[in-house]
Amino acid sequence: MNNFEYIRPATISDAVTAAARPGAAYLASGTNLLDLMKGGIARPSRLVDITRLPGLDRIERLGDGGLRIGTLVRNADLAHDPDFANHYPAITEALLSGASAQLRNAATVGGNLLQRTRCGYFYDTASACNKRKPGAGCDALHGDNRLHAVLGWSEACIATHPSDFCVPLVALDAVVEIEGRGGRRELALESLHRLPGDTPEQENVLEPGDLIVALRLPAEARAFARHARYLKVRERTSYAFAVVSAAAALRIERGKITEARLALGGVAAKPWRARAAEASLAGAVPAADAFARAAQVALADAKPSGDNLFKIELARRIVVRALTLAAVGTPDRIPALPASPLSSGTGALHVA
Ligand code: SF4
C-alpha cells in the first residue's frame, strides 16, 4: 500500500479545503475505498476522514413533508427506521437487499451513492481498464461481460453502477446536497452519475473537494408508499450485486394509474430512470398489457455489450414483475427475502 496522509477535520469547511487538493479522497466507513486501496486500484495521497464531522448522521423530517438524510447515516439505521420504511418501502427493500448485514451496519448513505463499479477487470490491476487507467483499453469488451451494461454504454467502458439504494432514490426524485469550494448547492441524484462516453474515469459530476452532506426526498415521494416495490435478480440470494433490478412506484386512483415511477439497476453506469415507460403508464389500467408495454419502452434502446443479450429480456420481465407487485400493493411487512422476485408467487404477496 502507498503511504498517504490522514486528516480528520473538525468542520465541513475544513474538510472541503483538505479534500480539494489533487490526490485527496474522503473516507467514511471505507467499505469500498479501503478494499480499493489494499488492491492497489485507488492510491489517494491524502485521506480526509469525515466520520467525526458533526450533524451528518441525522434523519430529519422537514416542514414541507420531505425527508433529509445525513451522509453519515448508516444503511442499516435507515433501513430499520420504521417511519422511513412506512413512507419509502421500496427504498427500504433496496437497502436490505444490498451487501451483507455487517456491511450495512457500517456503510453510509453518502458512500453508497459513490461506490465504484464491480467490474472484475477494474479490480484486477493486470487487466486493461480505461476507468482505472484512461487510454489503457477495456478488457471487459471481449472478456467475461455477461453481467455488464445494456444501456448507455460506450466502447470505452461497459461497466454498471452497483448500488441498489440509488435505484428507488432516482425513481422518487431524490436530491443530493453538496458542499463545495463555492458553498452549498443541490443536484438531482439522477444527474450525479455520468455515462462513460470517452471518459469512463469521470464517474460523476462532483468537483475536487465536493462533499455530499445529505440526501433529500421530496414530500411527493410519500404519495407512492402504498404501491412501491424494489425487485432484484442476483446470482445468489444475498450478498450479491444485481444482475438486473427495478424500482416501481405507482399512484392508483379509481382503478387507473395517475402517476408511475420506474428505474432500473444493473443495466448501466448509472441508476437508469425509465421516463418514457413512466409516461406510457399514465392513465392506464394497472394490468399486464400496460406493464408489458412499459417494459418494452423501458428497454427500447438496450443493446448487448457482450454475452449479455439475456439481460435485456430479464430486465423486461423484472420490470413487469415489479410493476405487477407494486400494483397489488406494498406488503405490510418487508418480505423475508427483501427485493427477491422469489418472495412472491403469482402476484399475491407472501410476507414474513
Ligand atoms: Fe474498466 Fe469499464 Fe472496461 Fe470494466 S468495463 S474493464 S471498468 S473500462
Side-chain angles (χ1 to χ4, degrees):
M1 189 186 289
N2 282 3
N3 284 336
F4 58 86
E5 192 182 3
Y6 173 83
I7 293 175
R8 189 191 287 163
T11 67
I12 292 174
S13 162
D14 288 349
V16 169
T17 302
R21 199 171 86 172
Y26 285 116
L27 174 70
S29 71
T31 53
N32 191 198
L33 178 60
L34 296 187
D35 279 349
L36 292 165
M37 290 174 67
K38 285 187 269 186
I41 299 131
R43 297 168 182 269
S45 55
R46 170 185 272 192
L47 283 187
V48 181
D49 183 342
I50 60 168
T51 54
R52 310 291 172 92
L53 290 179
L56 298 185
D57 59 352
R58 298 186 194 136
I59 304 172
E60 301 167 75
R61 275 76 198 172
L62 303 175
D64 65 359
L67 189 78
R68 185 173 187 272
I69 306 159
T71 198
L72 292 179
V73 171
R74 308 280 172 179
N75 284 200
D77 288 338
L78 186 60
H80 293 292
D81 181 312
D83 192 47
F84 182 80
N86 273 340
H87 290 125
Y88 314 100
I91 304 177
T92 295
E93 257 194 297
L95 280 167
L96 292 176
S97 75
S100 65
Q102 291 89 341
L103 284 167
R104 294 194 294 272
N105 285 338
T108 61
V109 160
N112 194 315
L113 308 185
L114 296 178
Q115 63 184 296
R116 313 291 301 276
T117 183
R118 260 59 187 187
C119 171
Y121 300 98
F122 175 69
Y123 286 81
D124 173 13
T125 53
S127 296
C129 173
N130 287 321
K131 188 184 281 294
R132 182 168 22 79
K133 187 175 175 193
C138 170
D139 275 352
L141 266 181
H142 303 290
D144 181 359
N145 49 28
R146 56 185 293 279
L147 299 182
H148 284 68
V150 293
L151 284 163
W153 55 272
S154 72
E155 292 292 321
C157 180
I158 59 174
T160 59
H161 191 267
S163 171
D164 295 297
F165 183 44
C166 284
V167 180
L169 285 176
V170 160
L172 294 173
D173 284 340
V175 168
V176 284
E177 293 180 18
I178 300 164
E179 187 81 22
R181 286 175 293 178
R184 187 143 321 183
R185 66 187 195 278
E186 299 179 355
L187 182 72
L189 177 61
E190 189 182 3
S191 303
L192 175 68
H193 303 97
R194 292 176 187 264
L195 291 175
D198 295 329
T199 53
E201 73 281 7
Q202 294 175 19
E203 296 173 357
N204 56 59
V205 299
L206 296 179
E207 301 287 337
D210 276 356
L211 175 65
I212 293 177
V213 292
L215 182 67
R216 274 209 329 269
L217 283 159
E220 298 74 42
R222 293 166 55 159
F224 296 92
R226 291 175 57 204
H227 295 281
R229 295 302 301 269
Y230 178 72
L231 291 190
K232 170 179 178 179
V233 176
R234 47 197 146 172
E235 293 199 315
R236 56 178 180 244
T237 311
S238 75
Y239 199 18
F241 295 98
V243 177
V244 169
S245 70
L250 302 171
R251 290 176 60 197
I252 300 174
E253 290 172 19
R254 297 192 183 89
K256 295 221 171 138
I257 298 169
T258 56
E259 190 175 0
R261 300 288 180 86
L262 182 66
L264 285 89
V267 295
K270 60 186 290 181
W272 192 268
R273 180 89 178 255
R275 289 184 182 274
E278 292 175 1
S280 80
L281 288 164
V285 173
D289 58 340
F291 298 153
R293 193 167 58 245
Q296 289 295 335
V297 172
L299 277 302
D301 295 330
K303 57 180 181 170
S305 60
D307 298 328
N308 54 6
L309 179 63
F310 77 98
K311 283 184 75 166
I312 299 173
E313 180 57 22
L314 184 62
R316 288 192 194 103
R317 292 184 185 207
I318 209 72
V319 163
V320 169
R321 194 157 187 79
L323 287 167
T324 304
L325 292 177
V328 170
T330 306
D332 291 337
R333 299 175 61 190
I334 298 297
L337 294 174
S340 171
L342 305 177
S343 64
S344 170
T346 57
L349 296 172
H350 302 287
V351 299

